[in-house]
Amino acid sequence: MQKYEINKYSVETILGWVKSGDVAIPEIQRPFVWEATKVRDLIDSLYNGFPVGYLIVSRSHDMKLKDGTISKGQRILIDGQQRVTALMASILGYTVLDDEYRERTIKIAFDPFSHDEKFAVQDQSHIKSKKWIEDISVFFDNDFNAFSFIKDYCMTNPEIGENECMNMIQSIKSIANREMGVIELASDMDIDTVTEVFIRINSKGKVLSQADFAMSKIAADSKNGGNKLRKAIDYFCHMAVEPAFYSKLKDRDKAFLDSDFGKEMAWLKDDNSSIYDPTYEDMLRVSFIHMFSRGRLKDLVSLLSGRDFKTLDYKEEIAEDSFNKLTIGIQHFMKQYYFEQFVLAIKTAGFISNKLISSHNALDFAYVVYLTLAISGEVDKTEIKRYVGKWFVMSMLTGRYSSSPETRMDLDIRNINEKGVVACLKEIEAAELSDAFWTFGLPQRLTTPNSSSPALSIYFAAQIFNSEHGLFSAASTVRDLFDVSDIHHIFPKGYLKKVGALDNRSIYNQVANYVHLDTPTNILIGDKAPNVYFKEAFESAEKNGSVFNCPMTKDELIENLKINCIPIEIIHWDHNDYLEKFLPQRRTMMAKKIENYYKKL
């Protein structure tokens, strides 16, 4: 049985759906990421009658209402948001949000009487030009007066006749009559099939996530407050990145700010932390796992549609209950006390910068753990941050949520509900953080040139947690240096490149070759061999009580090398010892530091 229909609709009809709310295009389903030149190309293709691809829309499942009638949901735009948003921006003059939540206007200019009728992204040259029409959206405005436009244009360009000008206007306005293909999916198609259809038809595009489908479902709902919920998620994500957005909302959507959601998130206007700037996917994932004790977001889409997993049909009461539970989960997520205490737990564990956080999945589930502990009362309130920090570090160390994350999260939340957080954490530690892991597994994870390696991030977090000083410093801690200093190659990159055989990024950029060091000292060291500059450091410490202009005795220097996991034998090592001696020994020392740090959390 065919699960879809292919129809053609004019651009004007499709934009009419948008203006009337008949098609759900949640603003944050996917930010507008097209370059402006792609918008120009879309308009050019429509103008010249070229194909521009299909839109894919779906409708909500039919559900029986209380009065016995069958509801028909809005069209949910599954694929084609970038194209529809481009049309909204260029033809209707709408502003759009980019992927950093900045407002953009995209104006397309047109030179109607050049030999090839050029379109261009508007710049100052088009505004100053007599021939270029600086913004084609004027032709689609309801107040557009063709007579006045022709009079003014022909007066400025006397060589252009009025009939030519009128033909040009009609040609531009014909864009609204161009047809686009729309694949309309059957209303009873389940979310897995919808995903499969999208992948098969648009395999080169960015595959939509289950969170994208969930946001579409939420945005399309008006009966259960989904449209307000979508707004809350959108605005929270926006304000987390740009707190100043709050002041814009006071003019743009004061009614929302006066609502319970608006009051709940008002604190973000004064928040400048960037440890956890959640996306809508993060918010949905955390809230869903927290409230529904399930890990797979496709289940959220089904539940919001009213799916009964036992009878496999759709019931209005299940949809209503699911929207209510998700709303509570979102409210918990954005609650100031919960959010700030969770972020404090992560920072207390040493993760003072988002640069140290390489897994948003691990961060998301750590927030689930926090909410579970905060609400259940399983442990004393003073212990919550400690367990949250340990769970987060354990997740990063083991890569727990890096492969098949939803399957793992689903299993973990079910085990937590059955046994509690503390018991589950102990079981995981016993299974995955054995002596063999610390002795062999973790050093192996430090055998990488990837500077965003979770193991390296945890090593630096350990130094920050321990308030340790940077190399050759008695004053500046790693915390002080993290965002302002250079990452120094202990065996300088320039030195290793000179010896030829080690002139390879994957060799000299090994993470075990990294250390935090202030910039002036790094400059003094330059490209010297370790057995040269470490020898100079020890000689200076003995004679002058300083190292590279920093007060430091010999004993303090030895301790400084120890806390930075640098073998004392380095004073004798050159490039011949880099691979066989230095890297293995330092990885072992770094792994030991991480082990001690984890066990102190």
Side-chain angles (χ1 to χ4, degrees):
M1 179 179 176
Q2 188 159 296
K3 293 287 188 179
Y4 64 92
E5 293 180 358
I6 299 179
N7 298 303
K8 291 183 178 180
Y9 297 97
S10 68
V11 169
E12 184 176 32
T13 297
I14 293 167
L15 291 178
W17 293 345
V18 174
K19 290 189 285 188
S20 67
D22 190 48
V23 64
I25 309 179
E27 289 85 340
I28 67 162
Q29 178 182 322
R30 209 187 293 167
F32 188 69
V33 296
W34 270 15
E35 296 291 336
T37 52
K38 289 195 71 173
V39 180
R40 175 204 63 199
D41 294 343
L42 176 66
I43 295 299
D44 185 75
S45 293
L46 287 168
Y47 180 81
N48 288 293
F50 297 150
V52 292
Y54 286 92
L55 307 181
I56 306 178
V57 299
S58 178
R59 285 190 180 274
S60 302
H61 288 279
D62 296 345
M63 290 189 293
K64 185 178 287 187
L65 302 180
K66 290 181 180 179
D67 62 4
T69 61
I70 300 296
S71 70
K72 289 288 185 181
Q74 287 173 288
R75 291 177 175 87
I76 299 173
L77 189 60
I78 300 300
D79 182 38
Q81 183 178 334
Q82 298 295 309
R83 277 165 288 167
V84 172
T85 305
L87 293 173
M88 292 161 59
S90 58
I91 292 179
L92 299 182
Y94 285 19
T95 58
V96 297
L97 291 176
D98 65 16
D99 54 0
E100 294 183 359
Y101 289 100
R102 295 174 300 193
E103 288 189 339
R104 295 176 59 193
T105 57
I106 302 173
K107 297 182 179 181
I108 302 301
F110 181 53
D111 183 0
F113 299 108
S114 63
H115 71 280
D116 53 357
E117 298 178 306
K118 290 181 179 178
F119 289 93
V121 179
Q122 185 199 88
D123 61 29
Q124 285 299 312
S125 67
H126 305 129
I127 295 173
K128 295 175 182 178
S129 170
K130 294 179 180 180
K131 289 192 179 292
W132 279 85
I133 295 161
E134 62 187 69
D135 182 4
I136 64 169
S137 69
V138 298
F139 297 117
F140 303 94
D141 193 301
N142 290 334
D143 297 327
F144 176 69
N145 186 311
F147 177 78
S148 297
F149 179 89
I150 291 171
K151 181 180 177 182
D152 293 341
Y153 190 85
C154 291
M155 185 177 295
T156 306
N157 299 279
E159 71 279 13
I160 305 298
E162 291 185 1
N163 288 338
E164 287 180 280
C165 199
M166 176 57 76
N167 290 337
M168 176 271 294
I169 292 173
Q170 291 174 345
S171 295
I172 286 288
K173 290 177 72 70
S174 70
I175 290 174
N177 300 322
R178 294 285 191 260
E179 292 185 330
M180 297 179 68
V182 179
I183 299 172
E184 299 186 86
L185 305 180
S187 62
D188 62 349
M189 186 178 289
D190 62 57
I191 195 64
D192 290 329
T193 308
V194 171
T195 305
E196 179 68 16
V197 168
F198 176 83
I199 293 171
R200 286 175 182 244
I201 293 176
N202 194 14
S203 60
K204 292 183 179 179
K206 175 185 175 183
V207 177
L208 294 176
S209 68
Q210 299 293 349
D212 293 321
F213 288 116
M215 282 302 294
S216 293
K217 187 68 189 173
I218 293 167
D221 175 85
S222 56
K223 187 173 184 297
N224 299 298
N227 49 353
K228 294 179 182 177
L229 182 61
R230 190 280 306 161
K231 224 182 232 193
I233 297 169
D234 181 9
Y235 289 166
F236 189 92
C237 292
H238 195 152
M239 286 208 309
V241 175
E242 184 192 1
F245 181 65
Y246 182 86
S247 61
K248 297 178 184 177
L249 281 181
K250 287 195 290 188
D251 297 326
R252 185 178 304 171
D253 201 345
K254 190 175 185 303
F256 175 83
L257 292 183
D258 292 337
S259 70
D260 290 342
F261 277 129
K263 293 173 184 175
E264 193 69 73
M265 69 174 69
W267 63 272
L268 274 176
K269 70 181 186 299
D270 302 313
D271 177 70
N272 293 307
S273 171
S274 60
I275 297 295
Y276 189 30
D277 287 339
T279 64
Y280 66 93
E281 184 166 357
D282 296 322
M283 291 188 72
L284 287 175
R285 187 180 304 284
V286 171
S287 303
F288 176 60
I289 297 174
H290 162 53
M291 289 301 299
F292 293 80
S293 298
R294 291 172 176 266
R296 297 179 176 89
L297 278 178
K298 71 175 183 179
D299 290 346
L300 173 60
V301 179
S302 296
L303 287 164
L304 294 176
S305 298
R307 184 175 177 85
D308 185 325
F309 287 108
K310 293 181 180 178
T311 63
L312 303 182
D313 58 0
Y314 293 86
K315 299 175 181 177
E316 181 192 356
E317 57 268 27
I318 292 178
E320 183 178 349
D321 180 64
S322 297
F323 270 101
N324 288 338
K325 287 174 71 173
L326 182 61
T327 298
I328 293 170
I330 293 295
Q331 289 171 334
H332 286 172
F333 186 104
M334 61 177 59
K335 186 178 179 67
Q336 181 179 5
Y337 178 79
Y338 290 160
F339 194 91
E340 289 184 338
Q341 288 297 303
F342 168 66
V343 170
L344 182 58
I346 300 303
K347 292 175 72 173
T348 300
F351 295 85
I352 60 169
S353 169
N354 57 15
K355 295 177 184 176
L356 288 169
I357 298 170
S358 59
S359 171
H360 251 249
N361 287 335
L363 198 60
D364 286 347
F365 201 85
Y367 198 10
V368 173
V369 170
Y370 172 83
L371 291 172
T372 300
L373 292 174
I375 293 171
S376 70
E378 179 187 339
V379 300
D380 187 84
K381 289 183 178 179
T382 59
E383 291 284 282
I384 291 176
K385 287 195 284 291
R386 183 170 75 87
Y387 280 108
V388 170
K390 287 201 81 164
W391 194 290
F392 176 65
V393 176
M394 175 276 294
S395 303
M396 291 263 286
L397 272 174
T398 61
R400 190 166 185 81
Y401 306 113
S402 58
S403 177
S404 302
E406 290 194 337
T407 300
R408 176 59 69 182
M409 290 179 183
D410 190 72
L411 178 63
D412 282 352
I413 193 60
R414 292 176 191 274
N415 285 337
I416 285 172
N417 284 341
E418 180 184 344
K419 305 170 186 176
V421 169
V422 177
C424 284
L425 181 59
K426 288 180 178 178
E427 286 184 2
I428 294 168
E429 289 174 339
E432 301 197 32
L433 298 182
S434 64
D435 290 343
F437 172 81
W438 299 115
T439 305
F440 303 106
L442 185 53
Q444 184 62 35
R445 292 178 187 231
L446 288 162
T447 307
T448 175
N450 182 6
S451 60
S452 60
S453 160
L456 180 64
S457 295
I458 295 168
Y459 169 75
F460 287 144
Q463 287 200 294
I464 292 166
F465 177 85
N466 294 331
S467 300
E468 293 173 351
H469 291 87
L471 181 62
F472 300 140
S473 177
S476 299
T477 64
V478 174
R479 177 187 291 268
D480 298 329
L481 296 170
F482 188 80
D483 282 321
V484 297
S485 72
D486 298 331
I487 290 288
H488 175 60
H489 290 74
I490 299 170
F491 275 69
K493 177 171 63 175
Y495 165 69
L496 292 179
K497 291 174 76 172
K498 287 178 185 176
V499 301
L502 301 176
D503 184 7
N504 184 300
R505 287 173 182 265
S506 66
I507 294 178
Y508 58 68
N509 281 341
Q510 283 288 309
V511 298
N513 195 27
Y514 289 151
V515 71
H516 274 286
L517 177 69
D518 68 48
T519 302
T521 304
N522 195 18
I523 293 171
L524 286 173
I525 292 170
D527 291 340
K528 295 177 182 177
N531 59 359
V532 173
Y533 75 84
F534 275 98
K535 184 178 179 181
E536 290 175 352
F538 272 96
E539 289 176 349
S540 179
E542 286 187 296
K543 292 180 181 178
N544 308 315
S546 68
V547 174
F548 297 112
N549 301 319
C550 173
M552 185 175 288
T553 65
K554 179 181 177 182
D555 288 343
E556 289 172 335
L557 177 57
I558 292 172
E559 179 62 23
N560 184 256
L561 264 64
K562 181 180 177 181
I563 64 173
N564 283 284
C565 299
I566 298 174
I568 192 72
E569 294 86 355
I570 198 167
I571 60 173
H572 306 299
W573 289 345
D574 62 14
H575 66 276
N576 293 308
D577 304 296
Y578 177 68
L579 293 175
E580 300 299 326
K581 295 180 180 179
F582 170 71
L583 289 178
Q585 287 193 40
R586 187 156 196 260
R587 288 175 190 135
T588 299
M589 295 173 74
M590 292 170 73
K592 190 63 180 177
K593 179 181 290 291
I594 294 171
E595 179 186 6
N596 292 337
Y597 151 75
Y598 180 79
K599 291 179 177 178
K600 283 193 295 184
L601 282 174

